[in-house]
Short mmCIF file of all heavy atoms in Angstrom, two decimals:
data_model
loop_
_atom_site.label_atom_id
_atom_site.label_comp_id
_atom_site.label_asym_id
_atom_site.label_seq_id
_atom_site.Cartn_x
_atom_site.Cartn_y
_atom_site.Cartn_z
N ALA K 96 2.45 58.53 -20.41
CA ALA K 96 1.12 58.17 -19.93
C ALA K 96 1.13 56.86 -19.15
O ALA K 96 0.53 56.76 -18.08
CB ALA K 96 0.16 58.08 -21.12
N ILE K 97 1.83 55.84 -19.67
CA ILE K 97 1.82 54.54 -18.98
C ILE K 97 2.56 54.64 -17.65
O ILE K 97 2.22 53.93 -16.69
CB ILE K 97 2.43 53.44 -19.87
CG1 ILE K 97 2.07 52.06 -19.32
CG2 ILE K 97 3.93 53.58 -19.99
CD1 ILE K 97 0.59 51.77 -19.26
N LYS K 98 3.55 55.50 -17.55
CA LYS K 98 4.26 55.66 -16.28
C LYS K 98 3.39 56.35 -15.23
O LYS K 98 3.71 56.34 -14.04
CB LYS K 98 5.56 56.44 -16.51
CG LYS K 98 6.60 55.61 -17.26
CD LYS K 98 7.86 56.39 -17.56
CE LYS K 98 8.86 55.51 -18.29
NZ LYS K 98 10.09 56.24 -18.70
N LYS K 99 2.28 56.94 -15.69
CA LYS K 99 1.28 57.49 -14.78
C LYS K 99 0.10 56.53 -14.63
O LYS K 99 -0.95 56.90 -14.12
CB LYS K 99 0.80 58.84 -15.30
CG LYS K 99 1.88 59.91 -15.34
CD LYS K 99 1.33 61.22 -15.91
CE LYS K 99 2.41 62.29 -15.95
NZ LYS K 99 1.90 63.57 -16.55
N ASN K 100 0.30 55.31 -15.12
CA ASN K 100 -0.71 54.25 -15.07
C ASN K 100 -1.94 54.58 -15.92
O ASN K 100 -3.03 54.09 -15.68
CB ASN K 100 -1.16 53.98 -13.63
CG ASN K 100 -1.31 52.49 -13.37
OD1 ASN K 100 -0.64 51.67 -13.98
ND2 ASN K 100 -2.22 52.14 -12.48
N ASN K 101 -1.72 55.39 -16.94
CA ASN K 101 -2.80 55.79 -17.85
C ASN K 101 -2.72 54.93 -19.11
O ASN K 101 -2.13 55.33 -20.11
CB ASN K 101 -2.67 57.27 -18.18
CG ASN K 101 -3.81 57.77 -19.06
OD1 ASN K 101 -4.72 57.03 -19.41
ND2 ASN K 101 -3.74 59.04 -19.45
N VAL K 102 -3.32 53.75 -19.06
CA VAL K 102 -3.26 52.82 -20.19
C VAL K 102 -4.02 53.38 -21.39
O VAL K 102 -3.57 53.26 -22.53
CB VAL K 102 -3.83 51.44 -19.79
CG1 VAL K 102 -3.81 50.49 -20.98
CG2 VAL K 102 -3.04 50.85 -18.63
N ALA K 103 -5.16 54.00 -21.15
CA ALA K 103 -5.95 54.57 -22.26
C ALA K 103 -5.17 55.66 -22.98
O ALA K 103 -5.19 55.74 -24.21
CB ALA K 103 -7.26 55.13 -21.71
N GLY K 104 -4.47 56.50 -22.21
CA GLY K 104 -3.65 57.55 -22.82
C GLY K 104 -2.52 56.96 -23.64
O GLY K 104 -2.22 57.44 -24.74
N MET K 105 -1.89 55.90 -23.12
CA MET K 105 -0.81 55.24 -23.86
C MET K 105 -1.34 54.70 -25.18
O MET K 105 -0.72 54.86 -26.24
CB MET K 105 -0.21 54.12 -23.02
CG MET K 105 0.93 53.37 -23.68
SD MET K 105 0.41 52.06 -24.84
CE MET K 105 -0.36 50.89 -23.71
N ARG K 106 -2.50 54.06 -25.14
CA ARG K 106 -3.09 53.51 -26.36
C ARG K 106 -3.35 54.61 -27.39
O ARG K 106 -3.08 54.43 -28.58
CB ARG K 106 -4.41 52.82 -26.03
CG ARG K 106 -4.27 51.49 -25.30
CD ARG K 106 -5.65 51.01 -24.91
NE ARG K 106 -5.59 49.74 -24.19
CZ ARG K 106 -6.59 49.28 -23.44
NH1 ARG K 106 -7.70 49.99 -23.32
NH2 ARG K 106 -6.47 48.12 -22.81
N LEU K 107 -3.87 55.74 -26.93
CA LEU K 107 -4.17 56.84 -27.84
C LEU K 107 -2.91 57.34 -28.53
O LEU K 107 -2.87 57.45 -29.77
CB LEU K 107 -4.83 57.98 -27.06
CG LEU K 107 -5.05 59.29 -27.85
CD1 LEU K 107 -6.00 59.05 -29.01
CD2 LEU K 107 -5.55 60.40 -26.94
N TRP K 108 -1.87 57.65 -27.76
CA TRP K 108 -0.65 58.20 -28.34
C TRP K 108 0.07 57.18 -29.22
O TRP K 108 0.64 57.55 -30.26
CB TRP K 108 0.27 58.71 -27.24
CG TRP K 108 -0.30 59.87 -26.49
CD1 TRP K 108 -0.57 59.94 -25.14
CD2 TRP K 108 -0.67 61.15 -27.01
NE1 TRP K 108 -1.10 61.15 -24.82
CE2 TRP K 108 -1.17 61.92 -25.94
CE3 TRP K 108 -0.65 61.71 -28.29
CZ2 TRP K 108 -1.63 63.22 -26.10
CZ3 TRP K 108 -1.10 63.01 -28.46
CH2 TRP K 108 -1.58 63.75 -27.38
N TYR K 109 0.04 55.91 -28.83
CA TYR K 109 0.69 54.89 -29.66
C TYR K 109 -0.09 54.65 -30.94
O TYR K 109 0.49 54.37 -32.00
CB TYR K 109 0.88 53.58 -28.87
CG TYR K 109 2.23 53.51 -28.20
CD1 TYR K 109 2.61 54.47 -27.25
CD2 TYR K 109 3.14 52.51 -28.52
CE1 TYR K 109 3.85 54.43 -26.65
CE2 TYR K 109 4.39 52.47 -27.92
CZ TYR K 109 4.74 53.43 -27.00
OH TYR K 109 5.98 53.39 -26.40
N ALA K 110 -1.42 54.76 -30.88
CA ALA K 110 -2.23 54.62 -32.09
C ALA K 110 -1.95 55.76 -33.05
O ALA K 110 -1.84 55.56 -34.27
CB ALA K 110 -3.71 54.57 -31.73
N ILE K 111 -1.81 56.97 -32.53
CA ILE K 111 -1.49 58.13 -33.38
C ILE K 111 -0.10 57.95 -34.00
O ILE K 111 0.11 58.25 -35.18
CB ILE K 111 -1.56 59.43 -32.56
CG1 ILE K 111 -2.99 59.71 -32.11
CG2 ILE K 111 -1.03 60.61 -33.38
CD1 ILE K 111 -3.14 60.90 -31.19
N THR K 112 0.85 57.45 -33.21
CA THR K 112 2.20 57.19 -33.74
C THR K 112 2.15 56.18 -34.87
O THR K 112 2.82 56.34 -35.89
CB THR K 112 3.13 56.68 -32.62
OG1 THR K 112 3.14 57.62 -31.54
CG2 THR K 112 4.54 56.50 -33.14
N ALA K 113 1.37 55.11 -34.67
CA ALA K 113 1.23 54.09 -35.72
C ALA K 113 0.66 54.70 -36.99
O ALA K 113 1.12 54.39 -38.10
CB ALA K 113 0.34 52.95 -35.22
N LEU K 114 -0.32 55.58 -36.85
CA LEU K 114 -0.91 56.25 -38.01
C LEU K 114 0.13 57.11 -38.71
O LEU K 114 0.22 57.11 -39.95
CB LEU K 114 -2.10 57.09 -37.57
CG LEU K 114 -2.79 57.91 -38.67
CD1 LEU K 114 -3.35 56.99 -39.74
CD2 LEU K 114 -3.89 58.78 -38.08
N MET K 115 0.92 57.83 -37.95
CA MET K 115 1.96 58.69 -38.54
C MET K 115 3.01 57.85 -39.25
O MET K 115 3.49 58.22 -40.33
CB MET K 115 2.60 59.54 -37.44
CG MET K 115 1.63 60.53 -36.79
SD MET K 115 2.31 61.40 -35.36
CE MET K 115 3.25 62.70 -36.19
#
Side-chain angles (χ1 to χ4, degrees):
I97 196 61
K98 289 177 179 176
K99 295 178 180 178
N100 221 29
N101 183 2
V102 178
M105 181 278 293
R106 288 174 181 162
L107 173 63
W108 295 120
Y109 267 60
I111 294 175
T112 304
L114 177 61
M115 296 173 81

